[in-house]
Amino acid sequence: MGNTQEKPSGSGGGAARLDQATAGSGTRSRGGGSVKKPHTQGAPEKGVANGTQRESSPAGGQQEQDSPAVDTSYLDAPAGALPPHLARLKNEGNHLFKHGQFGDALEKYTQAIDGCAEAGIDSPEDLCILYSNRAACYLKDGNSTDCIQDCTKALELQPYSLKPLLRRAMAYESLERYRMAYVDYKTVLQIDTGVQAAHDSVHRITKMLIEQDGPEWREKLPEIPVVPLSVQVQHRQKPISIEQAQARAARAAQDEVRRKEAQFTLLKQKGNDLVKKGQFQEALEKYSECLTIKPDECALYTNRAICFLKLNHFKEAKQDCDSALQLEPGNKKAFYRRALAYKGLQDYLSASSDLQEVLQLDPNIREAEQELEVVTSLLRQSLMDNTAHTPRV
């Protein structure tokens, strides 16, 4: 109870997504610094020494292959108003965090924060990011108390910053301080309604608070701050990262799938209800709307075929049954209803063939047996009529 997901989705980011994170690669020492393997001259022995393949040199000796160069260019990426030596610490912390080295990343952020104090740097935005990033490390390591302290410090520097609010909410939730978590999640949603993790958490915590505090749980909540409109506008105008854009697009696609699924279910149910009421033309229209959403739903074709049969549109009923059988070649309903369509079209031979197919699939369908008797009689009568009208030569 109280465990939270540390990677909330949505444009607000989360514990595992740092502010202004910079990608890069390289080998790392114990303290987190990037080091480059020195090139060493090979010994004259042949073969492999210490796991390193040696190659012959032009002079007749042997030398080690050069190690691939380590890319440390990410260290020199700009980092707000921080001077180069502190920017390198922040960038290295981001790199370590991205590769799961949360303890080492925490050390780098701490060194950068201490370095700002020593240098007398007064940049609330940069310090807010450093505290927020260090809070993400604490959260990853399960240190929720220190995470809350760093998030609170970040919010003192930059009120209504989204990521510190979200990370503090997660830390509160992990400590089962649900009222505080609820307040922070609701504040996040005032800034950005698209943070799905906050929506999910609010729903989850609401149930816990109702169980904990009863029907009057809202009265026991701390006051939820009102986020100024200017902050909301400023947040919406911020350029979003590629990751945020991808997350929003994925969320929009999921929402569209859910919307269409709900619309489909509603239309299909309406169609079924209309069939029960004998309103076949209206039902037909509902099934047709369903097919624009799910054109590969076999049951829609067999359901619409009923409507066509009841309206004496036998050709259309046959076409729907053909479509159903393309999707499900062994569909008994499609064979049976196509047989009725053939019967309406006076193609008794084809009707008889489909009814026999139904009985092969399920010999216990009494309606198919009865229809087969009727169709067989009609087929005989048709053959006799054709014989009677055939001129003798």
Side-chain angles (χ1 to χ4, degrees):
M1 190 173 193
N3 294 330
T4 61
Q5 184 181 353
E6 291 185 350
K7 289 189 180 180
S9 59
S11 60
R17 203 173 284 169
L18 295 177
D19 304 332
Q20 301 179 357
T22 306
S25 60
T27 49
R28 293 171 294 280
S29 66
R30 168 66 184 86
S34 297
V35 294
K36 187 175 180 180
K37 292 183 181 179
H39 173 72
T40 55
Q41 184 67 31
E45 294 88 359
K46 296 181 180 180
V48 177
N50 295 329
T52 305
Q53 182 68 40
R54 307 185 187 279
E55 296 180 338
S56 298
S57 68
Q62 291 181 327
Q63 60 187 17
E64 287 185 350
Q65 292 180 338
D66 289 337
S67 299
V70 177
D71 180 15
T72 58
S73 59
Y74 65 88
L75 291 173
D76 297 318
L82 295 176
H85 71 289
L86 297 179
R88 286 174 67 87
L89 286 170
K90 177 192 169 188
N91 291 337
E92 191 168 4
N94 293 348
H95 179 76
L96 291 165
F97 187 96
K98 181 180 178 182
H99 290 81
Q101 296 178 261
F102 308 120
D104 290 341
L106 189 151
E107 290 178 16
K108 297 300 174 184
Y109 294 134
T110 300
Q111 290 173 27
I113 290 168
D114 293 343
C116 287
E118 292 168 5
I121 293 171
D122 183 19
S123 175
E125 183 176 356
D126 291 310
L127 281 167
C128 173
I129 291 171
L130 287 171
Y131 277 109
S132 177
N133 286 1
R134 190 170 71 173
C137 298
Y138 283 131
L139 192 60
K140 279 289 188 181
D141 283 338
N143 186 347
S144 297
T145 300
D146 285 340
C147 173
I148 290 168
Q149 290 179 356
D150 269 7
C151 289
T152 301
K153 181 64 177 176
L155 290 164
E156 290 170 358
L157 292 161
Q158 291 282 121
Y160 305 112
S161 294
L162 193 70
K163 291 183 180 180
L165 272 169
L166 189 56
R167 289 166 185 161
R168 190 172 69 178
M170 295 172 70
Y172 278 137
E173 187 176 0
S174 71
L175 293 174
E176 300 185 15
R177 296 173 66 181
Y178 298 124
R179 296 171 191 162
M180 301 298 291
Y182 183 91
V183 168
D184 276 353
Y185 282 129
K186 292 293 282 187
T187 308
V188 165
L189 291 173
Q190 288 183 66
I191 301 168
D192 187 345
T193 58
V195 184
Q196 189 60 45
H199 283 291
D200 296 341
S201 297
V202 165
H203 292 317
R204 182 173 59 252
I205 292 174
T206 297
K207 294 178 182 177
M208 293 177 180
L209 289 174
I210 292 172
E211 291 177 5
Q212 175 182 296
D213 298 331
E216 311 202 346
W217 62 277
R218 291 183 186 275
E219 297 176 9
K220 299 181 181 181
L221 288 173
E223 183 179 356
I224 299 174
V226 178
V227 178
L229 182 61
S230 59
V231 173
Q232 300 176 40
V233 172
Q234 184 181 8
H235 178 78
R236 285 196 294 268
Q237 291 175 344
K238 278 185 179 180
I240 63 173
S241 67
I242 294 175
E243 285 184 347
Q244 288 172 336
Q246 290 173 340
R248 288 185 182 181
R251 188 167 59 251
Q254 291 173 352
D255 290 343
E256 180 64 13
V257 168
R258 284 194 288 266
R259 185 191 68 78
K260 285 189 173 181
E261 187 65 37
Q263 183 186 13
F264 172 85
T265 303
L266 181 62
L267 287 169
K268 186 177 179 182
Q269 186 58 53
K270 284 183 177 178
N272 294 345
D273 292 341
L274 288 166
V275 166
K276 292 175 184 176
K277 295 176 182 177
Q279 298 174 279
F280 301 110
Q281 181 60 47
E282 293 83 353
L284 185 154
E285 291 168 3
K286 297 301 178 186
Y287 293 137
S288 296
E289 286 185 63
C290 284
L291 284 167
T292 64
I293 300 172
K294 288 189 179 182
D296 295 333
E297 185 83 7
C298 181
L300 293 174
Y301 290 104
T302 55
N303 286 3
R304 194 169 68 170
I306 294 174
C307 301
F308 281 130
L309 287 170
K310 294 293 185 180
L311 296 169
N312 294 328
H313 296 169
F314 302 116
K315 183 178 179 181
E316 290 82 355
K318 176 204 173 285
Q319 290 172 346
D320 269 4
C321 292
D322 288 341
S323 298
L325 289 167
Q326 286 179 354
L327 294 167
E328 293 183 17
N331 190 293
K332 293 179 287 187
K333 290 181 179 179
F335 276 119
Y336 181 76
R337 290 167 190 173
R338 190 171 69 173
L340 298 181
Y342 278 132
K343 178 184 172 185
L345 293 168
Q346 299 183 358
D347 184 353
Y348 304 123
L349 185 59
S350 296
S352 174
S353 176
D354 275 357
L355 289 167
Q356 290 178 51
E357 188 71 36
V358 172
L359 291 169
Q360 281 187 350
L361 292 168
D362 187 347
N364 298 317
I365 299 179
R366 181 61 182 160
E367 296 92 334
E369 288 182 0
Q370 293 171 346
E371 267 313 319
L372 183 57
E373 291 176 7
V374 172
V375 167
T376 301
S377 175
L378 290 169
L379 179 59
R380 287 200 192 99
Q381 187 61 46
S382 175
L383 291 173
M384 289 173 61
D385 290 345
N386 287 339
T387 302
H389 290 90
T390 302
R392 296 182 181 179
V393 179

